[in-house]
Amino acid sequence: ADAKEEDSSIDATNTVKQDSANVVAETITDGTEGAEVAEDPAKPAGDDKGDGEKVSSSKDQSFEDENGKTEGGELVKTGNGGETDGVAAQGKSAEEAAMETDANKDAGGLDQASTDAKERAEQAATTDVKESGGAVAGRGTPKNLTFDDENGKMDGVDLVKDDGNKTRISEESANVEGAALTVKPMAKTTAAAAETTDTDTTTNTASEEEKKQDGGGEQQLPAAEALPNVQAELLTERAAQNGSFTTQAAESTKEKKKRAEKKKGGKKGKKKAAGGVPPSSVWKLCNSSAGADYIPCLDNEAAIKKLKTDIHYEHRERHCPAEAPTCLVPAPPEYRDPIRWPHSRDKIWYHNVPHTMLAEYKGHQNWVKVSGEHLTFPGGGTQFKHGALRYIDLIQGALPEVAWGRRSRVVLDVGCGVASFGGYLFDRDTLTMSLAPKDEHEAQVQFALERGIPAISAVMGTQRLPFPGNVFDVVHCARCRVPWHIDGGKLLLELNRLLRPGGVFVWSATPVYQKLPDDVEIWDAMAKLTKAMCWEMLAKTKRSVVDDQVGLAIFRKPVNNRCYEKRAQKEPALCEPSDDPNAAWNIKLRACMHRVPEDPSVRGARWPEMWPERLGKAPYWLDSSQTGVYGKPAPEDFAADLEHWRKVVRSSYLAGMGIDWKTIRNVMDMRAVYGGLAAALRDMKVWVMNVVTIDSPDTLPVIYERGLFGIYHDWCESFSTYPRSYDLLHADHLFSKLKPRCKVLPVVVEVDRILRPNGKFIVRDDKETVDEIQSVVRSLQWEVRMTVSKNKEAMLCARKTTWRPTEIETR
């Protein structure tokens, strides 16, 4: 009894020990629609009745233990009709009796076990059952079978991998220790089944109701993913105590109240909606002049027409519809899967981003060129026609302490063009957040994302950018056409808010080196403004590169407040102490500077650790007196989060999800906490946009401190990116937390908009919410590859297809 109790407990390191696994294994015979055949536990293995019919069948197979219930079924031993035998014994005999898989079979599913393998399986099941708690199939679950990706355990689980459009069992894991599993795949909707036959194989633990509707006849695969472990202490979020973390919504709302601004718009008081999932026949294409490039919050033509002025680029800022759209964005007619990184940095398919204006307008500067079916990117820019790497090295030469990839890790590139600067900084192990307004230069941000380079659509206008204060190591602007010096220097003061104390601003523009009257006037204004801001000019260079001139000025933000106090002129003014530099959601710009933190225990008082040491080390300003998001002391919380996601990535995402990671480049964590997922994916050739939702604990400064980047966002609104931007979206307990404020349906539609065709969507949430999302993506004719559930928690992995409706919505 003591041993059993220990096995079902959770130890201090969050390692779950289970006597048995919550494994679903259903079998569907070709001749029986929706039927589920299981062996009667009271009968000896293989004891059939008459023509092979099992003695008993269950409509709802389930398994329950101390760790909760797994719906849909349990390990079964099947008999005739080509079904797969279950083997419950452990040890060498179980390995000999394991299921054999033909990896070259076109269907990509389970092969029928050979007759010899079946005989060995039956013998193993009857002779080795006494060892280590083994069980005959149908009488229990073997002890060594565990589904626990939270703790890095995948014992006894068949892994799958992506091979083109077919999911196959990996050869390394074809021999399952303990049992051969078969799992009923998620059935497609009728419309989806009619649309295509060459799709990835799907694995799931379907409920009985789904089974009755779906029918049989689909391929079968072993359970491929570890079940979420909701009982793990780490996953139980608690309200942070001691004021450790507030939320961006609270910070911004408080700041607005301080400024005596009334809250506008209809977002306040949104209630949970019942939602209703439309059938696929109800979906319509969005009726927007932006067509395949539609960004709802940036292409709100009605709201833009009502603006009184656009002198400060108000028309390029976010103006979200009162109701989030539920229409679908069409794909370009000849869209094809993007070219893989790193080749995508140099060329992309023309038809994926069929815009040539930029090539015509900037062709002489080597931004982008048209070459047959491709758009090519020679690596040039307005200030670096002869290549970004040479320009990056020029900056390093002018200021050696910039130390790309060591001291300088996180960069903001304002007015990024096609983001070649950020694209080549990857070679220096430096991460760049590139931004530019939509359509200022046609499709520049879309080009960047298609190339596999991080970028968002944003503008230096009238509002703060959606980032916390004091987070960027470097801010860069190469001929970005931003009038930094006007309106009391509001825009340059916004950069001052974003830069770390001691961080540098690299300004590469004609006023640095040309003597035309306009250039001289701008330089004089900038020199005066930066001096008043106490920025130190570290370097000013002018060089001839072949037949081109390149000039840049590098300024450094102060590391203390002494200069501010000594200024004879108090303009720009210092912000009031109550003005929160981290409040960034819909906050108007002000022409003031925030004081530099000087308390050594406060964030910003000193430079972070060098990269990559800073990635895995808790920031110095998190101490044990603070309570983290999950309720542990903040440094322990940080470490536990990192270890948690390392285990999940290692045990599940990289091996057990059927995802071909060679096709993944642009990743978004839709609800990041400390950035643990991004840190766990560090060795992959991917970049991760960490989104911290405005109603979650404001942990975005932690993410930047560790050398990663991210953005604030409210998922009740559209994200500021082009359609088809990301290869993989990850949502960990996002949707259930959104429900009190907005409907699930429009958020899934937004996921559909920004995910590329054939892109993957991973959801971890409560079972009710995952079921709702599953219904929506099925109606979108997505392929649901897998769902698993335990303890009312569930996980879903789905693949977006190329399906689009034909009908267009009416305006």
Side-chain angles (χ1 to χ4, degrees), residues 568-798:
Q569 300 294 327
K570 302 301 182 183
E571 294 294 334
L574 292 176
C575 299
E576 296 176 0
S578 60
D579 191 299
D580 187 352
N582 296 315
W585 190 248
N586 297 327
I587 298 295
K588 295 290 184 181
L589 293 178
R590 271 186 170 178
C592 68
M593 297 181 296
H594 294 90
R595 289 170 176 80
V596 173
E598 293 185 321
D599 183 336
S601 65
V602 174
R603 179 174 71 86
R606 65 176 188 253
W607 200 262
E609 298 281 340
M610 295 293 103
W611 176 264
E613 290 82 3
R614 64 198 275 191
L615 178 67
K617 187 173 182 179
Y620 68 88
W621 39 269
L622 289 182
D623 62 55
S624 297
S625 66
Q626 300 169 302
T627 303
V629 175
Y630 302 111
K632 297 180 179 180
E636 296 177 27
D637 223 44
F638 175 94
D641 178 80
L642 177 57
E643 183 61 21
H644 162 71
W645 287 112
R646 281 176 174 170
K647 290 177 178 178
V648 171
V649 167
R650 180 175 61 246
S651 66
S652 300
Y653 292 1
L654 298 186
M657 304 284 282
I659 297 174
D660 181 0
W661 282 87
K662 294 189 298 295
T663 67
I664 305 298
R665 171 64 180 171
N666 303 354
V667 178
M668 177 185 286
D669 191 354
M670 297 177 68
R671 185 178 172 270
V673 179
Y674 299 114
L677 175 65
L681 291 173
R682 181 210 162 188
D683 293 333
M684 307 295 293
K685 294 180 180 179
V686 303
W687 61 269
V688 180
M689 178 68 78
N690 293 285
V691 178
V692 172
T693 56
I694 63 167
D695 58 342
S696 294
D698 186 2
T699 52
L700 193 51
V702 177
I703 291 171
Y704 276 93
E705 192 79 3
R706 68 193 305 187
L708 305 171
F709 66 9
I711 193 170
Y712 294 121
H713 185 57
D714 180 2
W715 282 111
C716 295
E717 301 176 354
S718 167
F719 193 81
S720 293
T721 192
Y722 281 85
R724 304 170 303 280
S725 292
Y726 288 86
D727 301 302
L728 186 147
L729 296 182
H730 181 268
D732 181 30
H733 289 82
L734 167 71
F735 290 88
S736 58
K737 295 183 182 301
L738 285 176
K739 281 184 175 182
R741 299 193 301 113
C742 52
K743 301 176 183 177
V744 167
L745 178 62
V747 186
V748 179
V749 171
E750 176 66 0
V751 168
D752 177 89
R753 187 184 72 85
I754 66 179
L755 191 62
R756 288 170 169 171
N758 295 314
K760 309 303 188 298
F761 183 36
I762 300 174
V763 180
R764 308 169 79 96
D765 220 310
D766 63 68
K767 189 176 185 305
E768 178 186 357
T769 301
V770 171
D771 287 345
E772 185 176 353
I773 295 169
Q774 179 187 155
S775 298
V776 178
V777 299
R778 279 174 170 276
S779 72
L780 290 166
Q781 301 199 28
W782 286 26
E783 179 187 280
V784 177
R785 291 187 141 194
M786 176 195 65
T787 61
V788 289
S789 62
K790 184 174 74 172
N791 298 344
K792 299 182 180 179
E793 292 287 302
M795 179 162 52
L796 172 146
C797 180

Side-chain angles (χ1 to χ4, degrees), residues 186-450:
M186 298 289 274
K188 305 170 188 172
T189 59
T190 303
E195 183 244 353
T196 181
T197 58
D198 186 21
T199 57
D200 292 359
T201 308
T202 310
T203 307
N204 101 311
T205 59
S207 66
E208 178 61 22
E209 290 76 9
E210 290 169 336
K211 185 182 299 185
K212 289 179 180 178
Q213 295 173 2
D214 295 340
E218 297 199 23
Q219 300 171 8
Q220 299 179 8
L221 277 182
E225 168 62 303
L227 292 171
N229 176 20
V230 71
Q231 290 187 332
E233 181 184 357
L234 178 64
L235 296 185
T236 306
E237 295 187 20
R238 301 171 176 83
Q241 304 168 13
N242 304 330
S244 301
F245 295 102
T246 181
T247 67
Q248 178 58 211
E251 292 165 357
S252 296
T253 301
K254 186 176 180 181
E255 185 60 35
K256 291 174 188 176
K257 288 180 179 179
K258 289 176 188 173
R259 298 184 184 190
E261 293 180 0
K262 293 183 179 179
K263 196 168 185 178
K264 298 179 180 179
K267 301 181 184 69
K268 186 176 181 180
K270 288 186 178 180
K271 303 296 183 182
K272 177 179 176 179
V277 178
S280 57
S281 59
V282 175
W283 293 108
K284 294 180 175 61
L285 294 176
C286 297
N287 191 349
S288 166
S289 59
D293 298 336
Y294 180 46
I295 304 175
C297 289
L298 300 182
D299 293 316
N300 188 348
E301 296 170 353
I304 292 172
K305 287 179 181 178
K306 294 178 181 178
L307 294 175
K308 296 179 180 179
T309 179
D310 61 5
I311 191 172
H312 294 108
Y313 282 75
E314 291 89 345
H315 60 302
R316 300 298 186 201
E317 295 181 323
R318 290 171 59 82
H319 302 282
C320 297
E323 293 291 332
T326 55
C327 57
L328 305 182
V329 177
E334 298 183 52
Y335 181 88
R336 61 177 76 179
D337 285 344
I339 294 171
R340 294 178 179 176
W341 182 268
H343 305 293
S344 61
R345 186 170 65 180
D346 301 324
K347 64 179 181 180
I348 62 174
W349 296 115
Y350 163 76
H351 289 292
N352 287 11
V353 191
H355 302 294
T356 59
M357 185 182 298
L358 197 59
E360 297 165 4
Y361 182 53
K362 295 287 186 179
H364 66 290
Q365 295 176 353
N366 283 334
W367 281 29
V368 56
K369 297 181 181 294
V370 181
S371 178
E373 288 189 300
H374 297 100
L375 293 167
T376 61
F377 300 87
T382 305
Q383 284 296 106
F384 42 93
K385 300 176 185 178
H386 302 284
L389 278 177
R390 182 181 297 181
Y391 173 76
I392 290 166
D393 290 337
L394 176 65
I395 298 172
Q396 176 84 51
L399 184 68
E401 68 182 84
V402 76
W404 300 120
R406 285 294 289 160
R407 186 177 191 272
S408 298
R409 163 64 181 175
V410 187
V411 177
L412 177 67
D413 186 18
V414 180
C416 63
V418 296
S420 288
F421 179 71
Y424 283 91
L425 271 174
F426 278 112
D427 290 355
R428 302 293 186 264
D429 209 6
T430 303
L431 201 57
T432 307
M433 175 79 74
S434 299
L435 67 86
K438 183 180 181 183
D439 293 333
E440 189 58 28
H441 284 137
E442 187 184 35
Q444 53 188 335
V445 167
Q446 194 174 18
F447 282 134
L449 290 162
E450 184 71 16

Side-chain angles (χ1 to χ4, degrees), residues 24-47:
V24 176
E26 302 171 287
T27 58
I28 303 299
T29 56
D30 293 338
T32 309
E33 284 194 15
E36 174 177 29
V37 183
E39 180 179 320
D40 186 348
K43 291 285 291 180
D47 189 4

